[in-house]
Structure formats: structure tokens, C-alpha cells
Amino acid sequence: MSIRALDLAAPAVRSLSPYVPGKPISELEREYGVTDSIKLASNENPLGAGPKAVAAIQSALGDLGLYPDGNGFELKQALMRHHHCAMENITLGNGSNELLVMIAEAFLSPAVSAVYSQYAFAIYAIATHATGAIKRVAPAHPEGHRMALGHDLDAMHKLVDADTRLVFIANPNNPTGTWLEAEPLRRFIESMPPHVIVVVDEAYRQYANVPDYPDVAQWVAELPNLIVSRTFSKAYGLAGLRVGYALSSPEVADVLNRVRQAFNVNSLALVAAEAALGDEEHLARTVELNRAGMTQLQAAFARLQLRQYPSACNFLLVDCGKPAGPVYEALLRRGVIVRPVGGYGLPNHLRVTIGTPEQNERMIAGFREILQGS
Ligand SMILES: *Cc1c(COP(=O)(O)O)cnc(C)c1O
């Protein structure tokens, strides 16, 4: 007997397009027969996990037979010290991706809407769609704007109405790299009606060394309609473990905990995240490597005369000036994986993660050969 599973699926699921992740190295090497390839496609930390996180995992291996602490007490204690907040403000997630999905599940339904920007992180659309809620997508700042392709808060504000429950903001945003400054963001959140919760996704905040970048975590105590999401996947180098957290009012955290699975964060992720939070040296090395790599890549793309966008992240968005697919393919054949962003409506663009100086050089050499034939 065969069944037509798709026909049986819930309507919102039937029309859902799954997230397309960066190509894994093993898949590239299998499909293209190349070796020694590099992945600059998923904004991972080129230094990997820090030594303290690795040591913490090693010492926790003996307890793998036990369920993790479903409340994540120790990690929450460390986060409380880090953020000067209370236990009740923190919700842990299996990556911040899970938190975004939990937020959507908790506050959205087919009767209400979520607002986000064009070119915003793809998970906002997917998580919203899965609930059957209405998606309201605000046009981004146009080319030529100081933050071209970035969030336009005025345009987003216009889409908020009586049925809106969530506004998703990535600061800084992936895949554009663009960011919002403190004052306009604060004004935006304060201007929301009380039935609207604003989610500020700060996946890249440790890299955001730009003027007037807001410290949104500090606003949680004063703004009960604010949720901040953070992750250990990017600057902390723990993408493979899947751990993130949300900061919010205790009332919002209580709602999120109703949809949270009891053991959503595994025991190795809990100890590694706690250790990573205390490894300031690894974070500082990571941020410095990124700063130098950003300078290296911006100069190289300028020499190639490719349009690029301001970035407060560990990646750059570049405009190939022609369809990016063949450029992406040619880079793959050279063992370099970057990220196509056609799914975002940017068919001429590629998003490249900042790697080590050697990885950056190899990627740039690839671009040079492909675009200039030299
Ligand atoms: C990578 C990313 C996340 C999700 O990261 P997790 O690994 O699920 O914590 C969230 N938001 C943005 C904008 C990202 O780029």
C-alpha cells in the first residue's frame, strides 16, 4: 500500500519550502570528486569550538547515559551572571532556530500575522508559514541607501495592525550583514501596540563592532514586549551542538516554556555553552580574526569591482553583477563552498563567510579566476 503523504499533511505544511542549508564539505567531495575543500557557506567560526568548551565536553562524556538537566540550571546561572538578569528571563533552545520556531508556535495561528523584512533571515518566513499565520513582508532599503537591502523600520511599522502578534528583526541581518542602530530600534519597539511582540535575533552580535549598535539585552527589563535571541553557533563556535537562548520578560518565557520540549538542549551542549561563555580569550581571537578577514575580503572584492554591502557580521554579501549560479558552481569545482542566495530573491548575489586568511585568499583567487580569467 502506498499513501499520498503530502495530501495528508496539514495545509500549511503542504505548501512549506524547507530551509536550504549550506552544502556540507562531505557532500561536495562525494559529488565533485574534489578533496581539501573549504566551507565558507554557513557562517561558522573558522577557529571552531574553543578549548574550554572542548574540555567541558570531554569531562561530561561519562554521563551520556543520563537525561540532561531539562531546566539547564548551570547554564542559566552562567547566563544570569553574564546578563545580570534573573533565571525567569531565560529560555534555552536547541539552537536559536528552535527558539524562533517556539516563538512562532506560541504566538501565531492562522488568524494573526507576523511582520518581517524582505531579505530577512529565512527561518522567520518558514516558522511563520508552518503555523498558518499571515506573512507580511516589508520592502527593504533600496540599492543606494546607506544600509541597502537592510531592514526599513518605517516600512515594517506600516504593516503592523490589529492582527499582528510578532515582528521579527535580525540585528545584524543574515544574509545582508546590515544592522540597525540603537535609537531607531528602541523607538520602533516602544511604538508597538501591546498585542505585538518584537523578536530581535542577535545571532551575530559578538561580531557587531559598529557605531551605535544597541545592547538590546539590557532593554528586556523595561520592554515587556521584547524577546532577544542569541546563539552559541556563530562566534562561540558551537554550531554542531545546537544551543541558543532567549531573553524576555518572565511572562513571555512562561509561554515559551509551554511549547518547549522537556529535554530540548542536550547535556554536551549545556556544559559546552557554559564553558564557552567563560572563554573570553577564544571569543576575542575569533572577533579579531574576523576583523582582519573582513578588511582582507572587502579590499579584494573592491579590486574585483564587485558591489558589496555593509556588514556587521562574519560574512559579506557580494553582487556578482550577473547570475551567481555559474560562479557558485565554478567555486565548488575549485573546492570552495559559498552560499547562493537566490532563494532570498538575490539571484546575482553570493554570501561568503569570513574564514582564516588562507581560506579567504583561496576563495578570492577562485573569484579572480572565474570572473577575470586570471
Ligand atoms: C545562524 C542564524 C541563526 C540560527 O542559529 P542556530 O544555530 O539555530 O542558533 C539565527 N538567526 C540568524 C540571523 C542566523 O544567521
Side-chain angles (χ1 to χ4, degrees):
M1 188 185 102
S2 73
I3 60 162
R4 299 179 63 105
L6 197 57
D7 292 342
L8 302 178
V13 175
R14 220 176 293 153
S15 51
L16 199 59
S17 324
Y19 184 72
V20 183
K23 199 179 204 40
I25 284 179
S26 56
E27 185 180 304
L28 172 74
E29 301 197 339
R30 245 186 350 262
E31 290 176 357
Y32 285 70
V34 294
T35 53
D36 193 28
S37 41
I38 57 172
K39 183 180 175 206
L40 298 172
S42 299
N43 305 336
E44 292 140 333
N45 184 336
L47 299 177
K52 291 189 180 172
V54 173
I57 288 174
Q58 275 159 349
S59 56
L61 288 175
D63 288 334
L64 282 183
L66 305 177
Y67 276 101
D69 173 3
N71 288 318
F73 183 85
E74 301 291 343
L75 175 55
K76 283 188 184 170
Q77 291 290 317
L79 289 167
M80 284 161 62
R81 288 191 295 274
H82 189 77
H83 287 293
H84 307 288
C85 69
M87 187 87 102
E88 292 69 32
N89 296 118
I90 306 168
T91 308
L92 300 180
N94 193 270
S96 55
N97 193 323
E98 190 202 30
L99 289 159
L100 297 168
V101 171
M102 279 163 50
I103 292 165
E105 282 177 350
F107 293 104
L108 297 179
S109 67
V112 302
S113 71
V115 171
Y116 48 86
S117 176
Q118 184 185 20
Y119 313 127
F121 184 47
I123 298 297
Y124 310 152
I126 294 172
T128 301
H129 189 101
T131 68
I134 301 155
K135 292 174 279 184
R136 298 226 169 95
V137 186
H141 286 309
E143 291 289 356
H145 188 278
R146 176 173 84 88
M147 284 291 166
L149 311 188
H151 293 12
D152 178 345
L153 290 177
D154 292 333
M156 293 174 73
H157 202 295
K158 288 199 183 99
L159 298 184
V160 172
D161 67 14
D163 66 24
T164 304
R165 289 294 169 276
L166 291 178
V167 177
F168 288 106
I169 293 175
N171 196 37
N173 183 46
N174 170 17
T176 58
T178 50
W179 65 95
L180 295 163
E181 285 153 3
E183 206 226 280
L185 181 57
R186 174 88 189 205
R187 245 188 297 123
F188 177 87
I189 301 170
E190 285 180 347
S191 74
M192 285 296 120
H195 60 270
V196 175
I197 290 173
V198 179
V199 182
V200 179
D201 174 353
E202 292 194 325
Y204 299 94
R205 83 110 45 215
Q206 293 82 8
Y207 291 115
N209 178 23
V210 289
D212 301 317
Y213 181 76
D215 194 354
V216 172
Q218 289 214 341
W219 300 350
V220 168
E222 304 143 40
L223 302 173
N225 62 336
L226 168 65
I227 304 178
V228 186
S229 76
R230 298 273 190 106
T231 181
F232 287 94
S233 299
K234 305 282 160 62
Y236 287 110
L238 300 178
L241 285 175
R242 317 303 305 124
V243 52
Y245 60 97
L247 301 173
S248 70
S249 69
E251 291 75 18
V252 166
D254 170 64
V255 172
L256 296 181
N257 271 296
R258 292 169 193 231
V259 297
R260 186 178 69 84
Q261 289 182 39
F263 302 108
N264 63 330
V265 183
N266 72 72
S267 53
L268 300 185
L270 286 173
V271 295
E274 183 190 346
L277 208 53
D279 195 346
E280 281 166 23
E281 205 182 313
H282 186 65
L283 184 62
R285 279 181 65 210
T286 298
V287 168
E288 174 52 26
L289 184 75
N290 191 65
R291 194 199 55 72
M294 174 88 79
T295 307
Q296 177 190 9
L297 286 183
Q298 283 173 333
F301 286 126
R303 277 194 298 275
L304 287 167
Q305 296 184 317
L306 297 183
R307 175 166 35 203
Q308 39 187 321
Y309 298 81
S311 171
C313 297
N314 65 336
F315 59 81
L316 282 170
L317 184 70
V318 290
D319 181 350
C320 298
K322 58 181 181 181
V327 181
Y328 169 66
E329 281 291 328
L331 284 168
L332 287 181
R333 285 195 293 276
R334 286 168 173 79
V336 178
I337 313 173
V338 299
R339 190 65 157 270
V341 284
Y344 284 92
L346 296 167
N348 287 2
H349 294 64
L350 291 171
R351 191 196 69 193
V352 304
T353 302
I354 299 170
T356 62
E358 300 73 32
Q359 291 172 336
N360 297 336
E361 192 41 55
R362 190 167 150 197
M363 171 176 64
I364 287 298
F367 269 100
R368 214 183 297 123
E369 285 169 29
I370 295 159
L371 297 174
Q372 302 186 334
S374 62

